[in-house]
Amino acid sequence: ANVMRFSTLFLQILCVASCSVSTESNFGAADATEESATCASSSTDCSLASSRAEGKLKYSGSQQTVDFSAWQFAPVSLLQQFPMDDDERNFVRQVRHAVFSLVHPTPLKGQCHLAAVSPRALEDLLDISPESVWTDEFKNFAAGNVVKEGSSPLSHRYGGHQFGDWAGQLGDGRAVLLGEFVNSKGNRWELQLKGSGKTPYSRRGDGRAVVRSSVREFLASEAMHHLHVPTSRAASLVICDDWIWRDQFYNGHPRQEKTAVVLRLAPSWFRIGSLEILSSNGELDILRQIVDFVIQTYFPHLKDLPEQDRYLVTSDHFVEDSNVNKLVLTDRSFFTLLSMKLQT
């Protein structure tokens, strides 16, 4: 049954990617049954809006939810305690002595369509009523066209390896962390837009994402969750009529493709590269601050370890608590070096 639901949703998303919506302002609204999305290449009805009314995109949970119009970010941001980039201009550069850069999403110019949502992610994780998101307000929020009050948009600086070699600074090249939310269960989630424009970490990219990769992430992350594989979650997928150039097969034949933005969630977007960039540059005070934050926030059972062992953790400790998406840290050799650095 789950496979059939994902297959149906996949076809609906693909249809929206190649369709023009007849009445965008009412798309997915309460009178969605009267709206239809018509494929540009044929006379076939996409009927994504009506499928919502039929319940294919609907989920009824038991916890109390609120309309998106009344939903708010957490009043206190735990991430604001970390050093911020002094330069608030948004241009590609090497950033030093900072964990985040202040970056706002870049609004899209073309018409946008809310192609799909994950009702379970919205309701279970964000306490948002899925029925309340079929509005221009949510669509513009999920596209990065409007920054909601209480948001603290940031892009994260991290490093990593590519093709087997240390690549130095990587960072959120096409992602903006909008803010944090603590739901009715007491669980903390960080909301991030992927494909929301350039950041200081975009390198040679344009900061955008295309439909094919965004559909893949939306479906795969939700499918993996339901297969009990810890991963990030996808709350929504917005497809826009902005076109960008991509060489899909790297064969020298680029073509234009539509843009898309995924609203995704994770308890933390920190990763091993968040630590590696600081270790590589000798920024040990910030490194210690992040490691202590991670232990205290996500792995509190480690904080009572003897001081000399606190930073030397094995992969078993982290995999055991692998509900923290990006922070499944398994490289003991790195933590051995990290422990030696932090204790000097």
Side-chain angles (χ1 to χ4, degrees), residues 114-257:
L114 181 56
V117 300
S118 171
R120 288 182 179 268
L122 290 169
E123 192 164 14
D124 292 347
L125 309 183
L126 298 180
D127 296 341
I128 295 175
S129 168
E131 291 298 299
S132 72
V133 302
W134 299 94
T135 61
D136 286 342
E137 181 185 10
F138 180 82
K139 179 189 67 178
N140 288 325
F141 167 77
N145 292 338
V146 174
V147 175
K148 194 174 179 68
E149 183 178 357
S151 174
S152 51
L154 305 168
S155 284
H156 176 39
R157 171 193 176 219
Y158 59 85
H161 293 76
Q162 291 184 326
F163 311 107
D165 295 315
W166 171 247
Q169 176 180 294
L170 298 176
D172 288 334
R174 55 178 177 173
V176 172
L177 196 160
L178 296 176
E180 305 154 60
F181 178 74
V182 179
N183 63 24
S184 56
K185 304 181 185 74
N187 300 323
R188 178 179 170 275
W189 291 90
E190 297 177 4
L191 289 76
Q192 186 189 78
L193 293 180
K194 186 172 183 178
S196 52
K198 277 190 174 183
T199 78
Y201 312 102
S202 294
R203 292 175 288 169
R204 294 181 297 275
D206 57 17
R208 294 299 184 187
V210 296
V211 173
R212 52 188 167 82
S213 62
S214 301
V215 169
R216 182 171 62 240
E217 171 155 2
F218 181 90
L219 293 177
S221 59
E222 288 302 280
M224 288 173 67
H225 167 74
H226 290 286
L227 291 170
H228 306 291
V229 179
T231 184
S232 57
R233 300 292 302 276
S236 68
L237 171 65
V238 173
I239 296 174
C240 298
D241 294 338
D242 292 54
W243 296 83
I244 53 178
W245 289 96
R246 287 292 185 270
D247 188 351
Q248 179 178 357
F249 300 107
Y250 300 98
N251 59 2
H253 295 89
R255 64 186 181 91
Q256 286 189 309
E257 300 185 51

Side-chain angles (χ1 to χ4, degrees), residues 250-312:
Y250 300 98
N251 59 2
H253 295 89
R255 64 186 181 91
Q256 286 189 309
E257 300 185 51
K258 278 189 176 182
T259 58
V261 183
V262 176
L263 172 59
R264 56 186 193 166
L265 319 168
S268 174
W269 291 104
F270 283 143
R271 64 206 69 199
I272 195 169
S274 308
L275 311 179
E276 287 180 304
I277 189 68
L278 300 172
S279 176
S280 175
N281 290 341
E283 299 170 34
L284 300 187
D285 289 343
I286 304 176
L287 176 62
R288 181 179 289 105
Q289 186 180 1
I290 288 187
V291 175
D292 287 342
F293 169 82
V294 166
I295 291 174
Q296 181 175 352
T297 306
Y298 302 107
F299 309 109
H301 62 285
L302 298 179
K303 66 182 181 181
D304 294 328
L305 290 175
E307 184 174 353
Q308 64 271 23
D309 298 328
R310 184 170 300 161
Y311 303 117
L312 183 57

Side-chain angles (χ1 to χ4, degrees), residues 18-36:
S18 60
C19 292
S20 58
V21 179
S22 58
T23 309
E24 164 61 22
S25 61
N26 292 325
F27 180 65
D31 57 346
T33 54
E34 299 179 3
E35 302 299 331
S36 63

Side-chain angles (χ1 to χ4, degrees), residues 50-59:
S50 62
S51 70
R52 169 200 164 273
E54 293 168 6
K56 295 176 182 177
L57 299 179
K58 186 176 179 181
Y59 168 68

